[in-house]
Amino acid sequence: MIGSPETPEEKAAARLFSGRVDFLLSAPQLKFLPDPVVPEIAFCGRSNVGKSSLLNALTGRKAIARASVTPGRTQELNFFEVGEPLQFRLVDMPGYGFAKAPVAVVDKWKKLVRTYLRGRAVLARTLVLVDARHGLKDVDRDMMKMLDEAAVGYRIVLTKADKIKASALEATAARVAEEAKKHPAAFPELHITSAEKGMGIAALRAAVVADAV
């Protein structure tokens, strides 16, 4: 089966995620952030990139993160706790790019995200999700630049890889990987995933656990 755990690391990560994964809280402002007691892995990407679907696939839950056809639904930092005892947290960040919201609201999100990325000592890694059908957009490059400046290491994850032909996917992956080399905080390894088909999920899950634990 595509995406089934194969390596010892993938199997161990699958076991961890098969245990406790609970929603903790939503933070509309920095003052609502939980105490920084464990490592955090943040997920960011353009609105409608498939972030909620990927989170659901990684955690093996059907709806721990709400998937929505309306871009920009996630307007806060949403925290999920993994492990019993607690091992680390996943952070679902506001989508960027296509949010149908007033400028003032979008600016508030940007400030929240920027301040979180630059000032959160327990932030172990950020995953930048990129739609495989479109490749990197300017808004993705802005996020990557922000992460570079904040010295926050990040992995680039191509989503919806099942939605395009293999040849087009290969070409997009090559372009993104080449561009990633120019960013000091970007991992050289590219993750290619499909939440729907399970492609690359086991490997990404193992990478998340390795980054966090």
Side-chain angles (χ1 to χ4, degrees), residues 59-154:
T59 59
R61 269 68 174 175
K62 288 184 178 178
I64 191 158
R66 294 179 183 175
S68 171
V69 294
T70 305
R73 180 166 178 165
T74 303
Q75 300 179 18
E76 303 167 338
L77 296 173
N78 294 310
F79 289 78
F80 303 87
E81 296 196 326
V82 180
E84 187 62 68
L86 177 62
Q87 300 291 307
F88 59 92
R89 293 183 179 126
L90 305 178
V91 187
D92 184 9
M93 301 176 69
Y96 52 79
F98 303 115
K100 294 178 180 177
V103 173
V105 174
V106 174
D107 286 345
K108 192 176 83 169
W109 300 352
K110 286 181 179 177
K111 184 178 179 182
L112 174 68
V113 167
R114 189 178 292 113
T115 309
Y116 168 77
L117 290 174
R118 289 178 174 171
R120 192 69 166 171
V122 293
L123 179 58
R125 191 79 65 230
T126 297
L127 304 187
V128 178
L129 277 51
V130 176
D131 192 320
R133 298 170 299 180
H134 307 305
L136 290 170
K137 299 285 189 182
D138 285 343
V139 284
D140 299 313
R141 295 182 180 99
D142 289 344
M143 174 57 72
M144 291 164 68
K145 183 180 178 185
M146 189 189 303
L147 290 164
D148 290 338
E149 291 171 350
V152 175
Y154 57 94

Side-chain angles (χ1 to χ4, degrees), residues 166-185:
S167 57
L169 176 62
E170 190 175 333
T172 298
R175 285 196 304 272
V176 173
E178 188 62 32
E179 191 165 338
K181 291 178 184 176
K182 303 172 186 175
H183 291 267

